[in-house]
Amino acid sequence: MRESLLQHLKQVSPEEQSYREGNTQIIKELYANSGLGEVDKNCLLKQGNLVTVRPHSRFVNFPKHRHNFIEIMYVAEGSITHLIEGQEIVMTKGDILLMNQQVEHSVRKASYDDIGINFIALPEFFEIPLQMLKKENVLAEFIVGTLRQKEKLAHYMLFHLQGVHAVENLMENMIESMIFDKQDEALQNQYSMGLVFLYLLEHLEHLSRKS
């Protein structure tokens, strides 16, 4: 990742500063209108947007929760540790974790140099990536499941991708576009995510057995 973008992502937000100063509880009003059992898309997504990105909040343990959206985490630097259904999932630089709406997980406290980027997406965002996948495969099955939401089953996929530069470049471009709110690139981001999925299919050897 370009150093200038990485340094921007490392900036400590007011929320994170409160955790640094001793607040050990997530500021729930930033994530949900009631309890933290379900993180709410309406607290994180601007009205009319299908997707946004948000750096994962460091310096605090994030308690067990679900989302009413699709979450994709990309680790730009350091490591991020999730607990999903009793399993410890350690993500390192370059890893991608896809989680549907049914996944319940918690995240252990991250330090200053642990930079995880959360893609917060409505199911409709994946309609173009799904068209690009065409054939039946594990990623198409994952997307169809998120769109239909008929089966209330937790599905997540973890890819260890450090060194796959094409994916890193695509993720970086999308992160920069959304961090700086480039609305004219919304459609490009859908196609970019489709390209990421096509590369993931070419590298299924990097799909974690914990998925």
Side-chain angles (χ1 to χ4, degrees):
M1 177 170 283
R2 291 190 302 276
E3 187 62 26
S4 59
L5 179 57
L6 185 59
Q7 290 306 314
H8 180 83
L9 297 171
K10 282 187 174 183
Q11 292 178 16
V12 177
S13 69
E15 177 198 359
E16 291 177 316
Q17 187 60 34
S18 76
Y19 304 141
R20 265 186 158 184
E21 293 172 355
N23 179 13
T24 60
Q25 301 296 318
I26 285 288
I27 303 172
K28 66 180 182 180
E29 294 80 10
L30 298 175
Y31 299 94
N33 293 316
S34 54
L36 267 177
E38 182 176 86
V39 176
D40 187 3
K41 61 190 176 186
N42 295 317
C43 294
L44 303 174
L45 266 173
K46 289 183 180 179
Q47 189 172 5
N49 285 8
L50 295 179
V51 65
T52 191
V53 293
R54 189 182 194 280
H56 173 71
S57 295
R58 298 161 291 178
F59 316 121
V60 69
N61 290 310
F62 207 111
K64 189 181 293 185
H65 63 283
R66 290 190 176 92
H67 323 94
N68 58 9
F69 52 85
I70 313 305
E71 183 175 67
I72 298 176
M73 176 176 274
Y74 174 72
V75 177
E77 190 80 2
S79 66
I80 304 288
T81 301
H82 297 252
L83 291 173
I84 304 178
E85 298 181 347
Q87 288 198 85
E88 184 176 85
I89 307 293
V90 180
M91 301 180 64
T92 56
K93 181 178 178 180
D95 288 358
I96 295 176
L97 175 65
L98 296 83
M99 293 177 283
N100 74 356
Q101 302 96 318
Q102 308 305 322
V103 171
E104 188 174 56
H105 70 127
S106 58
V107 189
R108 287 187 175 154
K109 181 164 62 175
S111 65
Y112 176 79
D113 291 314
D114 298 325
I115 307 300
I117 307 298
N118 289 317
F119 285 74
I120 297 152
L122 300 182
E124 295 86 346
F125 174 75
F126 297 99
E127 289 176 353
I128 287 176
L130 180 60
Q131 292 171 17
M132 294 172 68
L133 290 173
K134 296 179 181 178
K135 298 179 181 178
E136 291 184 7
N137 51 65
V138 291
L139 279 169
E141 182 180 344
F142 177 87
I143 295 172
V144 169
T146 66
L147 289 169
R148 294 178 179 171
Q149 297 187 57
K150 289 183 178 179
E151 295 182 0
K152 301 299 183 182
L153 298 175
H155 291 158
Y156 64 94
M157 302 180 74
L158 172 64
F159 290 86
H160 298 296
L161 291 165
Q162 185 170 9
V164 183
H165 298 300
V167 172
E168 291 177 2
N169 290 337
L170 287 164
M171 297 299 282
E172 180 178 329
N173 290 341
M174 286 190 288
I175 290 166
E176 183 174 44
S177 168
M178 296 180 212
I179 284 286
F180 296 109
D181 201 20
K182 299 178 181 178
Q183 292 293 329
D184 57 331
E185 297 183 7
L187 186 61
Q188 290 96 312
N189 288 330
Q190 286 182 280
Y191 282 103
S192 294
M193 187 61 76
L195 289 172
V196 167
F197 285 173
L198 289 173
Y199 278 111
L200 294 181
L201 284 178
E202 290 183 2
H203 293 281
L204 287 178
E205 71 275 12
H206 297 302
L207 176 63
S208 169
R209 292 183 180 181
K210 291 185 177 181
S211 297

Coordinates of all heavy atoms in Angstrom, one line a residue, residues 7-56:
Q7 N -0.5 6.1 5.9 CA -0.4 7.0 7.0 C -1.7 7.7 7.3 O -2.0 8.0 8.4 CB 0.7 8.1 6.7 CG 2.1 7.5 6.7 CD 2.5 6.8 8.0 OE1 2.2 7.3 9.1 NE2 3.1 5.6 8.0
H8 N -2.5 8.0 6.2 CA -3.8 8.5 6.4 C -4.7 7.6 7.2 O -5.4 8.0 8.1 CB -4.5 8.8 5.1 CG -5.8 9.4 5.1 ND1 -6.1 10.7 5.3 CD2 -7.1 8.8 5.1 CE1 -7.4 11.0 5.4 NE2 -8.0 9.8 5.3
L9 N -4.6 6.3 6.9 CA -5.4 5.3 7.6 C -5.0 5.1 9.0 O -5.8 4.7 9.9 CB -5.4 3.9 6.8 CG -5.9 4.0 5.4 CD1 -5.6 2.6 4.7 CD2 -7.5 4.2 5.4
K10 N -3.7 5.4 9.3 CA -3.2 5.2 10.7 C -3.6 6.4 11.6 O -3.4 6.3 12.8 CB -1.7 5.1 10.6 CG -1.2 3.7 10.2 CD 0.3 3.6 10.4 CE 0.8 2.2 10.1 NZ 2.3 2.1 10.3
Q11 N -4.2 7.5 11.1 CA -4.5 8.6 11.9 C -5.5 8.1 13.0 O -6.4 7.3 12.7 CB -5.2 9.7 11.1 CG -4.2 10.4 10.1 CD -4.9 11.4 9.3 OE1 -6.0 11.9 9.6 NE2 -4.2 11.8 8.2
V12 N -5.3 8.6 14.2 CA -6.2 8.2 15.3 C -7.4 9.0 15.3 O -7.4 10.3 15.4 CB -5.4 8.3 16.7 CG1 -6.3 8.0 17.8 CG2 -4.2 7.4 16.7
S13 N -8.6 8.4 15.2 CA -9.9 9.1 15.2 C -10.3 9.5 16.6 O -9.7 9.0 17.6 CB -11.0 8.1 14.6 OG -11.2 7.1 15.5
P14 N -11.2 10.4 16.7 CA -11.7 10.8 18.1 C -12.2 9.6 18.9 O -12.0 9.5 20.1 CB -12.8 11.8 17.8 CG -12.4 12.4 16.5 CD -11.8 11.3 15.7
E15 N -12.9 8.7 18.2 CA -13.4 7.5 18.8 C -12.2 6.7 19.4 O -12.2 6.3 20.6 CB -14.1 6.6 17.8 CG -14.6 5.3 18.5 CD -15.0 4.2 17.4 OE1 -14.9 4.5 16.2 OE2 -15.3 3.1 17.9
E16 N -11.2 6.5 18.6 CA -10.0 5.7 19.0 C -9.3 6.4 20.2 O -8.8 5.8 21.1 CB -9.1 5.5 17.9 CG -9.6 4.5 16.8 CD -8.7 4.3 15.7 OE1 -8.2 5.3 15.2 OE2 -8.5 3.2 15.2
Q17 N -9.2 7.7 20.1 CA -8.6 8.5 21.2 C -9.2 8.3 22.5 O -8.6 8.2 23.6 CB -8.5 10.0 20.8 CG -7.7 10.8 21.8 CD -6.3 10.4 21.9 OE1 -5.7 10.0 20.9 NE2 -5.7 10.5 23.0
S18 N -10.6 8.1 22.5 CA -11.3 7.9 23.8 C -10.9 6.5 24.4 O -10.8 6.4 25.6 CB -12.8 8.0 23.6 OG -13.3 6.8 22.9
Y19 N -10.6 5.5 23.5 CA -10.2 4.2 23.9 C -8.8 4.3 24.5 O -8.4 3.7 25.5 CB -10.3 3.2 22.8 CG -11.7 3.1 22.2 CD1 -11.8 2.9 20.8 CD2 -12.8 3.1 23.0 CE1 -13.1 2.8 20.3 CE2 -14.1 3.0 22.4 CZ -14.2 2.9 21.0 OH -15.5 2.8 20.5
R20 N -8.0 5.1 23.8 CA -6.6 5.2 24.3 C -6.5 5.9 25.6 O -5.6 5.6 26.4 CB -5.8 6.2 23.3 CG -5.0 5.4 22.2 CD -4.2 6.4 21.4 NE -3.1 5.8 20.8 CZ -2.2 6.5 20.1 NH1 -2.3 7.8 19.9 NH2 -1.2 5.8 19.5
E21 N -7.5 6.7 25.9 CA -7.5 7.4 27.2 C -8.2 6.7 28.3 O -8.3 7.2 29.4 CB -8.2 8.8 27.0 CG -7.4 9.7 26.1 CD -8.1 11.0 25.7 OE1 -9.3 11.1 26.1 OE2 -7.6 11.9 25.1
G22 N -8.6 5.4 28.0 CA -9.1 4.6 29.1 C -10.5 4.1 29.0 O -10.9 3.3 29.8
N23 N -11.2 4.5 28.0 CA -12.6 4.0 27.8 C -12.5 2.6 27.2 O -11.9 2.4 26.2 CB -13.3 4.9 26.8 CG -14.7 4.4 26.5 OD1 -15.3 3.5 27.2 ND2 -15.4 4.9 25.4
T24 N -13.0 1.6 28.0 CA -12.9 0.2 27.6 C -14.1 -0.3 26.9 O -14.2 -1.5 26.6 CB -12.6 -0.7 28.8 OG1 -13.6 -0.5 29.8 CG2 -11.3 -0.2 29.4
Q25 N -15.1 0.5 26.7 CA -16.4 0.1 26.1 C -16.6 0.8 24.7 O -16.3 2.0 24.6 CB -17.6 0.5 27.0 CG -17.5 -0.1 28.4 CD -17.6 -1.6 28.4 OE1 -18.4 -2.2 27.6 NE2 -16.8 -2.3 29.2
I26 N -17.0 0.0 23.7 CA -17.3 0.5 22.4 C -18.4 1.6 22.5 O -19.3 1.4 23.3 CB -17.8 -0.6 21.5 CG1 -16.6 -1.5 21.0 CG2 -18.5 -0.1 20.3 CD1 -15.7 -0.9 20.1
I27 N -18.2 2.7 21.8 CA -19.2 3.7 21.8 C -20.3 3.3 20.9 O -20.3 3.4 19.7 CB -18.6 5.1 21.3 CG1 -17.4 5.5 22.2 CG2 -19.6 6.2 21.3 CD1 -16.6 6.6 21.6
K28 N -21.3 2.7 21.5 CA -22.3 1.9 20.7 C -23.2 2.8 19.8 O -23.7 2.4 18.8 CB -23.3 1.1 21.7 CG -24.1 2.0 22.6 CD -25.0 1.1 23.4 CE -25.9 2.0 24.3 NZ -26.8 1.1 25.1
E29 N -23.3 4.1 20.2 CA -24.1 5.0 19.3 C -23.5 5.2 17.9 O -24.2 5.5 17.0 CB -24.2 6.4 20.0 CG -25.0 6.4 21.3 CD -24.1 6.0 22.5 OE1 -22.9 5.8 22.3 OE2 -24.7 5.8 23.5
L30 N -22.3 4.9 17.7 CA -21.6 4.9 16.4 C -22.0 3.8 15.5 O -21.8 3.8 14.3 CB -20.1 5.0 16.6 CG -19.6 6.2 17.3 CD1 -18.0 6.1 17.5 CD2 -19.9 7.5 16.6
Y31 N -22.5 2.7 16.2 CA -22.7 1.4 15.4 C -24.1 0.9 15.4 O -24.4 0.1 14.5 CB -21.8 0.4 16.1 CG -20.3 0.7 16.0 CD1 -19.7 1.3 17.0 CD2 -19.6 0.4 14.9 CE1 -18.3 1.6 17.0 CE2 -18.2 0.7 14.8 CZ -17.6 1.3 15.8 OH -16.3 1.6 15.8
A32 N -24.9 1.3 16.4 CA -26.3 0.7 16.4 C -27.2 1.7 17.2 O -26.7 2.5 18.0 CB -26.2 -0.6 17.2
N33 N -28.5 1.6 16.9 CA -29.4 2.5 17.6 C -29.9 1.9 18.9 O -30.5 2.6 19.7 CB -30.7 2.7 16.7 CG -30.3 3.5 15.4 OD1 -29.6 4.5 15.6 ND2 -30.7 3.1 14.3
S34 N -29.6 0.6 19.1 CA -30.0 0.0 20.4 C -28.7 -0.7 20.9 O -27.7 0.0 21.2 CB -31.1 -1.0 20.2 OG -30.9 -1.9 19.2
G35 N -28.8 -2.0 21.1 CA -27.6 -2.7 21.6 C -26.6 -3.0 20.6 O -26.9 -2.8 19.4
L36 N -25.5 -3.6 21.0 CA -24.4 -3.9 20.0 C -24.5 -5.3 19.4 O -23.6 -5.8 18.8 CB -23.0 -3.7 20.6 CG -22.4 -2.3 20.4 CD1 -21.1 -2.3 21.2 CD2 -22.2 -2.0 19.0
G37 N -25.7 -6.0 19.7 CA -25.8 -7.3 19.2 C -25.8 -7.3 17.7 O -25.4 -8.3 17.1
E38 N -26.3 -6.3 17.1 CA -26.4 -6.2 15.6 C -25.9 -4.8 15.2 O -26.5 -3.8 15.5 CB -27.7 -6.4 15.0 CG -27.8 -6.4 13.5 CD -29.1 -6.7 13.0 OE1 -30.0 -5.8 12.9 OE2 -29.3 -7.9 12.6
V39 N -24.8 -4.7 14.5 CA -24.3 -3.4 14.0 C -25.2 -3.0 12.8 O -25.5 -3.8 11.9 CB -22.8 -3.5 13.6 CG1 -22.3 -2.2 12.9 CG2 -21.9 -3.9 14.8
D40 N -25.6 -1.8 12.8 CA -26.7 -1.3 11.9 C -26.1 -0.5 10.7 O -25.3 0.4 10.9 CB -27.6 -0.4 12.7 CG -28.9 0.0 11.8 OD1 -29.0 -0.5 10.7 OD2 -29.7 0.8 12.4
K41 N -26.4 -1.0 9.5 CA -26.0 -0.3 8.3 C -26.3 1.2 8.3 O -25.6 2.0 7.7 CB -26.6 -1.0 7.1 CG -28.1 -0.9 7.0 CD -28.7 -1.8 5.9 CE -30.2 -1.8 6.0 NZ -30.8 -2.8 5.0
N42 N -27.5 1.6 8.9 CA -27.9 3.0 8.8 C -27.0 3.9 9.7 O -27.0 5.1 9.4 CB -29.4 3.1 9.4 CG -30.3 2.3 8.5 OD1 -30.3 2.4 7.2 ND2 -31.2 1.6 9.0
C43 N -26.2 3.3 10.5 CA -25.3 4.1 11.3 C -24.0 4.3 10.6 O -23.2 5.2 10.9 CB -25.0 3.5 12.7 SG -26.4 3.4 13.8
L44 N -23.7 3.5 9.6 CA -22.4 3.5 8.9 C -22.4 3.9 7.4 O -21.5 4.4 6.9 CB -21.8 2.1 9.0 CG -21.6 1.6 10.4 CD1 -21.1 0.1 10.4 CD2 -20.6 2.4 11.2
L45 N -23.6 3.7 6.8 CA -23.7 4.0 5.4 C -24.5 5.2 5.1 O -25.6 5.4 5.7 CB -24.4 2.8 4.6 CG -23.6 1.7 4.0 CD1 -24.5 0.6 3.5 CD2 -22.7 2.3 2.9
K46 N -24.0 6.1 4.3 CA -24.8 7.3 3.8 C -26.0 6.8 3.0 O -25.9 5.8 2.3 CB -24.0 8.2 3.0 CG -22.9 9.0 3.7 CD -22.2 9.9 2.8 CE -21.1 10.7 3.5 NZ -20.4 11.6 2.6
Q47 N -27.1 7.4 3.2 CA -28.3 7.1 2.5 C -28.1 7.1 1.0 O -27.5 8.1 0.4 CB -29.5 8.0 2.8 CG -30.8 7.5 2.2 CD -32.0 8.3 2.8 OE1 -31.8 9.3 3.5 NE2 -33.2 7.9 2.4
G48 N -28.4 6.0 0.3 CA -28.3 6.0 -1.2 C -27.0 5.3 -1.6 O -26.8 4.9 -2.8
N49 N -26.0 5.1 -0.7 CA -24.8 4.4 -1.0 C -25.0 2.9 -0.8 O -25.7 2.4 0.1 CB -23.7 4.9 -0.1 CG -23.1 6.2 -0.5 OD1 -23.7 6.9 -1.3 ND2 -22.1 6.7 0.1
L50 N -24.3 2.1 -1.7 CA -24.3 0.7 -1.6 C -23.2 0.1 -0.8 O -23.2 -1.0 -0.3 CB -24.3 0.0 -3.0 CG -25.5 0.3 -3.9 CD1 -25.3 -0.4 -5.2 CD2 -26.8 -0.2 -3.2
V51 N -22.1 0.9 -0.6 CA -20.9 0.5 0.0 C -20.1 1.6 0.6 O -20.2 2.8 0.1 CB -20.0 -0.4 -1.0 CG1 -19.5 0.5 -2.1 CG2 -18.9 -1.1 -0.3
T52 N -19.4 1.4 1.6 CA -18.4 2.4 2.1 C -17.3 1.6 2.8 O -17.4 0.3 2.9 CB -19.0 3.3 3.1 OG1 -18.1 4.4 3.4 CG2 -19.4 2.6 4.4
V53 N -16.2 2.3 3.2 CA -15.1 1.6 3.9 C -14.9 2.4 5.2 O -15.2 3.6 5.3 CB -13.8 1.5 3.1 CG1 -13.9 0.6 2.0 CG2 -13.3 2.9 2.7
R54 N -14.5 1.7 6.2 CA -14.2 2.3 7.5 C -13.1 1.5 8.2 O -13.1 0.3 8.3 CB -15.5 2.2 8.4 CG -15.4 2.9 9.7 CD -16.7 2.7 10.5 NE -16.9 3.6 11.6 CZ -16.3 3.5 12.8 NH1 -15.5 2.5 13.0 NH2 -16.5 4.4 13.7
P55 N -12.0 2.3 8.6 CA -10.9 1.6 9.3 C -11.5 0.9 10.6 O -12.3 1.5 11.3 CB -9.9 2.7 9.6 CG -10.2 3.8 8.6 CD -11.7 3.7 8.3
H56 N -11.0 -0.3 10.9 CA -11.4 -0.9 12.1 C -10.9 -0.2 13.3 O -9.8 0.3 13.3 CB -10.8 -2.4 12.1 CG -11.1 -3.1 13.4 ND1 -12.3 -3.5 13.8 CD2 -10.2 -3.4 14.4 CE1 -12.2 -4.1 15.0 NE2 -10.9 -4.0 15.4

